[in-house]
Amino acid sequence: MTYTVYDDIITIKLIQEACKVLGVSMEAILKLFGEYFFKFCKMSGYDRMLRTLGGNLAEFIENLDALHSYLALSYQEMNAPSFRVEKGVDGKMLLHYYSDRSGLCHIVPGIIEAVAKDFFDIDVTMDILDMNEEEERTGKKKHVVFLVVQKTPRQMRRAKPDRSQEGPDIQRDQEDFKAAFLRMKEKYLSVSSCPVKKSHWNVVRNMVMFGKGHLMNTFETVYPERLWIEVKTFCNAFPFHIVFDESLRVKQAGVNIQKYVPGLQIQKIRLDEYFSIIHPQVTFSIFSICKFINSQFVLKTRREMMPEAWKTKPTLKLRGQMIWMESMRCMIYMCSPKLRSLQELEERKMHLSDIAPHDTTRDLILLNQQRLAEIELSNQLERKKEELRVLSKHLAIEKKKTETLLYAMLPEHVANQLKEGKKVAAGEFKTCTILFSDVVTFTNICAACEPIHIVNMLNSMYSKFDRLTSVHGVYKVETIGDAYMVVGGVPVPIGSHAQRVANFALGMRISAREVMNPVTGEPIQIRVGIHTGPVLAGVVGDKMPRYCLFGDTVNTASRMESHGLPNKVHLSPTTYRALENQEFEITERGEIEVKGKGKMTTYFLIQNLKATEDEIMGRPKIPLGHKEASTQGHQENKAVAVMSYADSQQPSPNKEADDPEKSAPEDSQVTGWDSVEEADDQLPSDQTKTYPLQSDPVLSGFCALL
């Protein structure tokens, strides 16, 4: 987030991880980060501002503190470092870096070297001469001194990887450079760091000789013999200024600063009695001020020294420049009120007229008022963006749930076509295998039990059956009452549809043993009928659309179930032929009369000769020495083991069938049967089954309950 302040601990952790990934030192990472940060600032719109900071590298560095002070108007919590430059001969400089953020000083060489190369077309090297901690008012402050050396063209040529130039001269030059570096370091450690001790002629000489040794400017300043300005005029022209001596005694003050800090009218008061230094964070002494003479100073009034009526107002902050007057041994502080907006101006009971017309603080307040409004708008946009990201994530989760429910009700490719608003064309499948099952004496069970017991029994049974659909890759078409219908080879054509449905039927028979009859307390008995043949399939209806199967194959499969026997899997002749020589044990039932079909020779499926019960049930293989699950229910919660078929590389029609809860919505599907003549079938009492009409209101309510 652009305007969010992040802790330095996060930065250090990121750098440490980068060191591990890249296998380089922390100093190298920080230097590269400094180079990139400079490029990032240019890309962020600060290019022109940075280019105009100074005409050379020294001026650029000296004005960095002023830039940070300006940016602090927008970024209130910014904790920027402070820089001070001591110029030497032959293009050498001493760069003093002060910061209360430890561990980040190695960013500075990356930034300065990139600035020198980009803005001033010079190559510089930076080495650390000294590093220590200085005790200041706000705690320990890191003080690092860098030696900045400009590379000469000869050094730049030798820096190129030209092996032909290597020789004794290069080694001798390197030794000379090291010796010069040590002399410079000794010289620095032996001199004072206070810039005011230096002769002004040395400063002028260094400015003239800086760079390649040529004169930078031939302009000479002319000063008058006396100052042609009255005392009152000066104090009114500069309403916010203070002059104080080495002992911090106030000698002079502007008219408006006296107005808002009445104590300054008292002669010989100490400045530190009424003000404290906010930036740079140093002790209030003439030595510390001289050490940071190039920095912008921010002073804040002490609340306890203000009049009683003013103590409820916000404290006044002043921002300005310290100038040392050597001849008078005094410091003049030329400043302006530090205000960010018109609201802060009003809170301090001040007006724009209190600020001198020539002072740019007036324009700064008005411009920054607009800037603050833009920042607030940017913050709102970023917050909205974050909210939209979270909402988008939640929307994706809800969309996934909706798609899961939709795919449980309709085949995936059909559901996708309906989502796109397309009309789903009916499909013809030349061969498939359909299975029907029902519960023996279900009508009697319903008459003798509470509805909740019936629902619990069917839910337990259907959950186990639903799980088996994913094991064998068959498609669950619908359930009506106690009737359960699946199909193999639809909607995804597959060659092993008969084997899959046969194994599914064997699994149904095993699963039924674990479902108890609520009346007798014994396992329920089911009848299963299977038939193979062609069907038509398509989606019917606009509201609650259903994927339906049409054709005589549906009726014949239903006849196989209704003419079957308890705990038997009844096969039609076409299914028998499809399962021949497929490692199944099948016995012939004989010729029976099938209503609407005449005499048919049917068969009973006994077992799969090659597959174990665990494989048919899709139970995961348990390694040797591992404890078996205590109940079948625990096994159902595990991942479903899919049985292997010759064409098992084809995708399973129902991807979510391994989760019974996700598969549950399929129970509400309805198929398009061509007839309901089963209601007229006259079978023995233990084989009788009643199919209620689809328009029966009792059926609709019961399906809704399921």
Side-chain angles (χ1 to χ4, degrees), residues 641-671:
V642 180
M643 189 168 176
S644 176
Y645 291 90
D647 50 6
S648 58
Q649 69 274 9
Q650 297 221 22
S652 173
N654 185 4
K655 294 182 178 179
E656 306 294 340
D658 56 312
D659 189 343
E661 293 182 0
K662 295 181 181 178
S663 302
E666 294 183 2
D667 292 348
S668 61
Q669 294 179 354
V670 178
T671 191

Coordinates of all heavy atoms in Angstrom, one line a residue, residues 641-671:
A641 N -11.0 -44.7 -3.6 CA -10.1 -45.5 -4.5 C -10.9 -45.9 -5.8 O -11.9 -46.6 -5.7 CB -9.5 -46.7 -3.8
V642 N -10.5 -45.4 -6.9 CA -11.2 -45.6 -8.2 C -10.7 -46.9 -8.7 O -9.5 -47.2 -8.9 CB -11.0 -44.5 -9.2 CG1 -11.8 -44.8 -10.5 CG2 -11.5 -43.2 -8.6
M643 N -11.7 -47.8 -9.1 CA -11.3 -49.1 -9.7 C -10.8 -48.9 -11.1 O -11.2 -48.0 -11.9 CB -12.6 -50.0 -9.7 CG -12.3 -51.4 -10.1 SD -13.6 -52.5 -9.8 CE -13.0 -54.1 -10.4
S644 N -9.8 -49.7 -11.5 CA -9.1 -49.6 -12.8 C -9.9 -50.3 -13.8 O -10.3 -51.5 -13.6 CB -7.7 -50.1 -12.7 OG -7.1 -50.0 -13.9
Y645 N -10.1 -49.7 -15.0 CA -10.7 -50.3 -16.2 C -9.8 -50.1 -17.4 O -8.9 -49.2 -17.3 CB -12.1 -49.7 -16.5 CG -13.1 -50.1 -15.4 CD1 -13.3 -49.3 -14.3 CD2 -13.9 -51.3 -15.5 CE1 -14.2 -49.6 -13.3 CE2 -14.8 -51.6 -14.6 CZ -15.0 -50.8 -13.5 OH -15.9 -51.1 -12.5
A646 N -10.0 -50.9 -18.4 CA -9.2 -50.8 -19.6 C -9.2 -49.4 -20.2 O -8.2 -48.9 -20.8 CB -9.6 -51.8 -20.6
D647 N -10.4 -48.7 -20.1 CA -10.5 -47.3 -20.7 C -10.7 -46.3 -19.5 O -11.4 -45.3 -19.7 CB -11.7 -47.3 -21.6 CG -12.9 -47.8 -21.0 OD1 -12.9 -48.2 -19.8 OD2 -14.0 -47.9 -21.7
S648 N -10.0 -46.6 -18.4 CA -10.3 -45.7 -17.2 C -9.6 -44.3 -17.4 O -9.7 -43.5 -16.5 CB -9.7 -46.4 -15.9 OG -8.4 -46.7 -16.1
Q649 N -8.8 -44.1 -18.5 CA -8.2 -42.8 -18.6 C -9.2 -41.8 -19.0 O -9.0 -40.6 -18.9 CB -7.2 -42.8 -19.8 CG -7.7 -43.0 -21.2 CD -7.9 -44.5 -21.5 OE1 -7.7 -45.3 -20.7 NE2 -8.1 -44.8 -22.8
Q650 N -10.5 -42.2 -19.4 CA -11.5 -41.2 -19.7 C -12.0 -40.6 -18.4 O -12.0 -41.2 -17.3 CB -12.7 -41.9 -20.4 CG -12.3 -42.5 -21.7 CD -13.3 -42.3 -22.8 OE1 -14.1 -41.4 -22.6 NE2 -13.3 -43.1 -23.8
P651 N -12.3 -39.3 -18.4 CA -12.7 -38.7 -17.1 C -14.0 -39.2 -16.6 O -14.9 -39.7 -17.3 CB -12.9 -37.2 -17.5 CG -13.2 -37.3 -19.0 CD -12.4 -38.4 -19.5
S652 N -14.1 -39.2 -15.3 CA -15.4 -39.6 -14.6 C -16.4 -38.6 -14.9 O -16.2 -37.4 -14.8 CB -15.1 -39.8 -13.1 OG -16.3 -40.0 -12.4
P653 N -17.7 -39.0 -15.2 CA -18.7 -38.1 -15.5 C -19.0 -37.2 -14.3 O -19.4 -36.0 -14.5 CB -19.9 -39.0 -15.8 CG -19.4 -40.3 -16.1 CD -18.1 -40.4 -15.3
N654 N -18.9 -37.7 -13.1 CA -19.3 -36.8 -12.0 C -18.1 -36.7 -11.1 O -17.7 -37.5 -10.4 CB -20.4 -37.6 -11.2 CG -20.9 -36.7 -10.0 OD1 -20.5 -35.6 -9.9 ND2 -21.8 -37.2 -9.2
K655 N -17.4 -35.5 -11.2 CA -16.2 -35.2 -10.5 C -16.4 -35.1 -9.0 O -15.4 -35.3 -8.3 CB -15.5 -34.0 -11.1 CG -15.1 -34.1 -12.5 CD -14.4 -32.8 -13.0 CE -13.9 -32.9 -14.4 NZ -13.3 -31.7 -14.9
E656 N -17.6 -34.8 -8.6 CA -17.8 -34.5 -7.2 C -18.4 -35.7 -6.4 O -18.8 -35.6 -5.3 CB -18.6 -33.2 -7.0 CG -18.1 -32.0 -7.7 CD -16.8 -31.6 -7.1 OE1 -16.5 -31.9 -6.0 OE2 -16.1 -30.8 -7.8
A657 N -18.6 -36.8 -7.1 CA -19.3 -37.9 -6.5 C -18.7 -38.5 -5.3 O -19.3 -39.3 -4.6 CB -19.6 -39.0 -7.6
D658 N -17.4 -38.3 -5.2 CA -16.7 -38.9 -4.0 C -17.1 -38.3 -2.7 O -16.9 -38.8 -1.6 CB -15.2 -38.8 -4.2 CG -14.8 -37.4 -4.3 OD1 -15.4 -36.6 -5.2 OD2 -13.8 -37.0 -3.7
D659 N -17.8 -37.1 -2.8 CA -18.3 -36.5 -1.5 C -19.8 -36.7 -1.5 O -20.5 -36.0 -2.3 CB -17.9 -35.0 -1.5 CG -18.3 -34.4 -0.2 OD1 -19.0 -35.0 0.6 OD2 -17.7 -33.3 0.1
P660 N -20.4 -37.5 -0.6 CA -21.8 -37.7 -0.6 C -22.6 -36.5 -0.4 O -23.7 -36.3 -1.0 CB -22.0 -38.7 0.6 CG -20.7 -39.3 0.8 CD -19.7 -38.3 0.4
E661 N -22.1 -35.5 0.4 CA -22.8 -34.3 0.6 C -23.0 -33.5 -0.7 O -24.0 -32.8 -1.0 CB -22.2 -33.5 1.7 CG -22.2 -34.1 3.0 CD -21.6 -33.3 4.1 OE1 -21.1 -32.2 3.7 OE2 -21.6 -33.7 5.2
K662 N -21.9 -33.5 -1.5 CA -21.9 -32.8 -2.8 C -22.8 -33.5 -3.8 O -23.3 -32.9 -4.7 CB -20.5 -32.6 -3.3 CG -19.6 -31.7 -2.5 CD -18.3 -31.6 -3.1 CE -17.4 -30.7 -2.2 NZ -16.0 -30.6 -2.7
S663 N -22.9 -34.8 -3.7 CA -23.7 -35.5 -4.6 C -25.2 -35.5 -4.3 O -26.0 -35.9 -5.1 CB -23.2 -37.0 -4.7 OG -21.9 -37.0 -5.1
A664 N -25.5 -35.1 -3.1 CA -26.9 -35.2 -2.6 C -27.9 -34.6 -3.5 O -29.0 -35.1 -3.7 CB -27.0 -34.7 -1.2
P665 N -27.6 -33.3 -4.1 CA -28.6 -32.7 -5.0 C -29.1 -33.5 -6.1 O -30.1 -33.3 -6.7 CB -27.9 -31.4 -5.4 CG -26.9 -31.2 -4.4 CD -26.5 -32.5 -3.9
E666 N -28.3 -34.5 -6.6 CA -28.7 -35.3 -7.7 C -30.0 -36.1 -7.4 O -30.7 -36.6 -8.3 CB -27.6 -36.3 -8.1 CG -26.4 -35.6 -8.6 CD -25.3 -36.6 -9.0 OE1 -25.6 -37.8 -8.9 OE2 -24.3 -36.2 -9.4
D667 N -30.3 -36.3 -6.1 CA -31.5 -37.1 -5.7 C -32.8 -36.5 -6.3 O -33.8 -37.1 -6.3 CB -31.6 -37.2 -4.2 CG -30.5 -38.0 -3.7 OD1 -29.8 -38.7 -4.5 OD2 -30.3 -38.0 -2.5
S668 N -32.7 -35.2 -6.7 CA -34.0 -34.6 -7.1 C -34.2 -34.7 -8.6 O -35.1 -34.1 -9.2 CB -33.9 -33.1 -6.7 OG -32.8 -32.5 -7.3
Q669 N -33.3 -35.4 -9.4 CA -33.5 -35.5 -10.8 C -34.6 -36.4 -11.2 O -35.0 -37.3 -10.5 CB -32.2 -36.0 -11.4 CG -31.0 -35.1 -11.3 CD -29.8 -35.6 -11.9 OE1 -29.8 -36.7 -12.3 NE2 -28.7 -34.8 -11.9
V670 N -35.2 -36.2 -12.4 CA -36.3 -37.0 -12.9 C -35.9 -37.5 -14.3 O -35.4 -36.7 -15.1 CB -37.6 -36.2 -12.9 CG1 -38.7 -37.0 -13.5 CG2 -37.9 -35.7 -11.6
T671 N -36.2 -38.7 -14.6 CA -35.9 -39.2 -16.0 C -37.2 -39.2 -16.8 O -38.3 -39.3 -16.2 CB -35.2 -40.6 -15.9 OG1 -34.8 -40.9 -17.2 CG2 -36.2 -41.6 -15.4

